Every structure is written in structure tokens, then in C-alpha cells.
């Protein structure tokens, strides 16, 4: 069974402690996809998780501010099985992406930083293979679902077509843990922007 056969898309978000960036991205992405009518199971984990901890109060407040329905969260450690069970892994930074792929090398095919994935799907145009895979179909009560693994493979294939941003750190979300309110706010703006772009791209692709 795959998401193309009607199962929810499984998205895993990864950061370090799993108490700031990844739960915030998890909650905003879950809310955004649900509002768009996209069936998805969005979870998160940390490469060095503060296992059992809740979100930081600052991250929880920002989650509410950006429209998340719930801020309930219990941090957990990233494992090979969590990665294997995901259809898409989105990380806070390039270092986290490396950690994911180190645990499960084949996950390189479906692992991106959050900002990187948003950047790649936003750059799709008429000459891009991503667009060519979207075929208009008549509206029915049960429209065909997006072949999500094929879509992710198409996105991965464009990595070499679009150079990394300058500086490359633009593909990362800064760690706000124990930082100022300004750093938290900057991280939240980046996460929300990427979540919005990803949701729009999935809607356009027919998810």
C-alpha cells in the first residue's frame, strides 16, 4: 500500500532536541495540510532528543500564533525505523539531513531540509518534470490521489538543476533553543513560510 492508494502521506520532521523547531514545523504542517484537505500523518523526532519533554513555551506560543490546533508534544529520539516508515523526511538543517541519511542511507531519496524542499517545489515551472507529471482530470466524487513517492522522486531529481542558495545556510532553520525571542520569531517565520509553500505545491500537484 502507498499514499497513491489512498493512505495518508507520512511526513517526519527532524531537529536536534525535538522541542523547538521540529514540533513547531510538525504542528504547522499538520494544520496547513488538513486545512487544504490533504490526508497526512505528520510526526517529529530529534537527533539528540530531550526525550519525554514538551515543547519549549516559546515554541508552543508561536505554534498557537501561527494557527496550530494543538501544542501537545512529547519529544522522542530519531530512529532508523521512524525514517523507514516515512514517505518524506524534512529536517531543520543540512546537518540533520546528514544524520538521517547516516542512519538509513536509502532515505537520501526522500530526505530534504524543510527550506530546501520548499525551495525546490516552489521552483517548478512549465519546463520542470514536476509539472509535466500533473495531468488535469475531470472532477469526480473520488478524484485520483497523487502518486506521492513518484512526486518526491521528481522533486529529488531536480536537486542538481537548482544550485544551493547563497549562503547555503539559507536551507537551514536557526536553532532558537535558549536564544532570544527574536531568534524564535525568525525561526517561526522561516518554518511557516516553508510550510505554506509546501502545502501550496502539494495542492497544485493534486494531493
Amino acid at each position: 500500500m502507498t499514499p497513491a492508494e489512498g493512505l495518508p502521506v507520512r511526513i517526519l520532521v527532524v531537529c536536534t532536541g525535538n522541542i523547538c523547531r521540529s514540533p513547531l514545523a510538525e504542528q504547522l504542517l499538520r494544520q496547513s495540510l488538513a486545512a487544504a484537505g490533504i490526508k497526512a500523518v505528520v510526526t517529529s523526532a530529534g537527533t539528540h532528543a530531550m526525550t519525554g519533554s514538551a515543547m519549549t513555551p516559546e515554541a508552543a506560543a508561536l505554534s498557537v500564533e501561527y494557527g496550530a490546533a494543538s501544542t501537545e508534544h512529547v519529544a522522542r529520539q530519531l530512529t532508523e525505523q521512524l525514517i523507514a516508515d516515512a514517505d518524506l523526511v524534512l529536517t531543520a538543517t543540512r546537518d540533520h539531513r546528514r544524520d538521517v541519511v547516516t542512519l538509513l542511507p536509502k532515505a537520501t531519496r526522500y530526505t530534504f531540509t524543510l527550506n530546501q524542499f520548499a525551495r525546490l517545489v516552489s521552483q517548478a515551472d512549465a519546463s520542470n518534470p514536476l509539472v509535466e507529471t500533473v495531468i488535469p482530470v475531470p472532477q469526480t466524487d473520488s478524484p485520483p490521489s497523487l502518486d506521492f513517492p513518484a512526486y518526491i522522486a521528481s522533486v529529488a531529481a531536480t536537486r542538481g538543476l537548482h544550485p544551493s542558495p547563497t549562503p547555503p545556510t539559507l536551507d537551514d532553520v536557526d536553532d532558537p533553543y535558549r536564544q532570544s525571542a527574536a531568534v524564535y520569531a525568525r525561526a517561526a517565520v522561516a518554518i511557516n513560510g516553508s510550510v505554506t509553500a509546501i502545502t501550496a505545491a502539494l495542492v497544485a500537484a493534486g494531493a
Side-chain angles (χ1 to χ4, degrees):
M1 296 290 286
T2 70
E5 295 170 303
L7 294 179
V9 172
R10 299 165 299 179
I11 301 174
L12 175 68
V13 189
V14 176
C15 72
T16 303
N18 193 214
I19 58 172
C20 298
R21 291 168 290 181
S22 58
L24 177 58
E26 170 196 350
Q27 292 163 12
L28 297 188
L29 187 57
R30 180 187 297 123
Q31 187 73 15
S32 182
L33 294 177
I38 297 172
K39 292 192 295 183
V41 175
V42 188
T43 58
S44 64
T47 57
H48 295 84
M50 298 179 68
T51 306
S53 297
M55 293 175 74
T56 63
E58 298 91 340
L62 286 164
S63 186
V64 171
E65 179 180 333
Y66 279 93
S70 171
T71 60
E72 290 187 17
H73 177 72
V74 178
R76 61 178 180 168
Q77 178 64 32
L78 179 68
T79 65
E80 180 180 337
Q81 190 60 54
L82 288 175
I83 300 166
D85 288 343
D87 300 305
L88 172 64
V89 180
L90 299 172
T91 68
T93 69
R94 291 161 296 148
D95 286 344
H96 296 129
R97 183 181 62 197
R98 180 201 61 213
D99 291 341
V100 167
V101 173
T102 297
L103 274 176
L104 187 65
K106 70 177 183 179
T108 190
R109 296 175 294 182
Y110 57 91
T111 302
F112 310 78
T113 77
L114 178 72
N115 289 351
Q116 175 194 27
F117 190 71
R119 173 170 58 83
L120 292 175
V121 297
S122 296
Q123 288 174 330
D125 57 34
S127 63
N128 193 306
L130 288 178
V131 176
E132 294 174 5
T133 63
V134 181
I135 302 173
V137 295
Q139 293 298 312
T140 65
D141 291 337
S142 300
S145 298
L146 173 69
D147 185 339
F148 196 74
Y151 176 75
I152 296 303
S154 295
V155 175
T158 70
R159 288 192 236 217
L161 301 177
H162 302 294
S164 296
T166 304
T169 51
L170 290 174
D171 270 346
D172 299 339
V173 176
D174 291 340
D175 187 358
Y177 183 57
R178 292 182 174 173
Q179 299 297 316
S180 67
V183 179
Y184 265 99
R186 186 165 64 245
V189 167
I191 289 169
N192 186 63
S194 289
V195 163
T196 300
I198 291 167
T199 302
L202 291 176
V203 169

